[in-house]
Amino acid sequence: MRSEQEAERAVDKYADTVKRLCMIYLKNHADTEDVFQDVFLKYVLCPVAFKDSEHEKAWIIRVTVNECKDVLKSAFRRRSVPLEDVRELAAEETSHNDVIDAVRSLPQKYKDVVYLHYYEGYTAAEIGKMLRRRENTVYTHLARAREALRERLGDDFERDT
């Protein structure tokens, strides 16, 4: 079990990453907060000694992804529509929301690599290790994601990239 100081340091260091990743997967704040707590509880209880901060960050990301997938598989989640989705449909869309929506509409395997590459700054090799995919597969997913975004957003995508 980790000390309170270690837990606080990890939360300070990785909170934004965990929350952003959860929002990409779950698209609502309540589930994001639940997963956030679960991830850091697992961190505190985890007996693994991390080699370095990159190993620790990769572990946090992997646990976050797995927790999000577990939430998405739950029976309750499959039979309900989040209130945020209803609000988003009613709200007027801006260019920024169009890009976010376009990324959210991508298949999960593309969302993962887009988030880790563009938001977290990881290389294809690092993403491959984290997601247990080949480096070339990561490059292919990035290329296909960009193409799908280009098709969906047209001129908006070309200006923003």
Side-chain angles (χ1 to χ4, degrees):
M1 193 156 125
R2 300 187 193 288
S3 70
E4 187 175 338
Q5 291 81 14
E6 285 180 288
E8 287 177 7
R9 181 200 51 79
V11 170
D12 289 342
K13 191 171 184 179
Y14 302 116
D16 290 341
T17 299
V18 170
K19 285 183 179 181
R20 283 192 306 255
L21 193 53
C22 288
M23 283 303 291
I24 285 173
Y25 270 87
L26 304 173
K27 301 175 188 123
N28 88 46
H29 294 287
D31 288 339
T32 293
E33 290 301 319
D34 289 344
V35 169
F36 181 87
Q37 290 177 9
D38 291 343
V39 166
F40 287 105
L41 178 60
K42 285 186 179 196
Y43 175 81
V44 168
L45 299 175
C46 177
V48 173
F50 299 108
K51 296 176 211 165
D52 55 24
S53 64
E54 284 303 309
H55 180 218
E56 181 180 55
K57 186 174 184 179
W59 185 90
I60 293 273
I61 289 172
R62 185 78 250 160
V63 170
T64 302
V65 167
N66 289 341
E67 286 292 315
C68 289
K69 287 180 178 181
D70 288 347
V71 168
L72 292 172
K73 287 189 281 188
S74 74
F76 175 78
R77 178 74 182 212
R78 286 190 305 246
R79 289 188 228 131
S80 64
V81 176
L83 186 58
E84 286 83 10
D85 286 353
V86 175
R87 284 191 204 129
E88 285 179 18
L89 292 174
E92 185 176 334
E93 292 189 17
T94 63
S95 178
H96 179 70
N97 284 341
D98 289 344
V99 173
I100 298 290
D101 290 342
V103 170
R104 285 181 177 166
S105 73
L106 293 172
Q108 193 62 51
K109 62 186 177 183
Y110 299 157
K111 276 192 263 193
D112 292 343
V113 296
V114 166
Y115 172 77
L116 291 171
H117 183 70
Y118 290 106
Y119 289 92
E120 294 297 326
Y122 283 104
T123 65
E126 293 168 329
I127 295 168
K129 287 178 187 173
M130 271 188 265
L131 300 179
R132 297 181 190 114
R133 297 179 190 161
R134 291 188 178 133
E135 183 176 350
N136 285 339
T137 302
V138 173
Y139 282 124
T140 301
H141 288 174
L142 281 169
R144 289 178 182 168
R146 282 192 295 268
E147 184 58 34
L149 292 171
R150 194 173 290 116
E151 287 175 12
R152 175 150 183 197
L153 298 171
D155 292 336
D156 291 339
F157 181 72
E158 297 299 330
R159 267 183 293 159
D160 293 341
T161 55

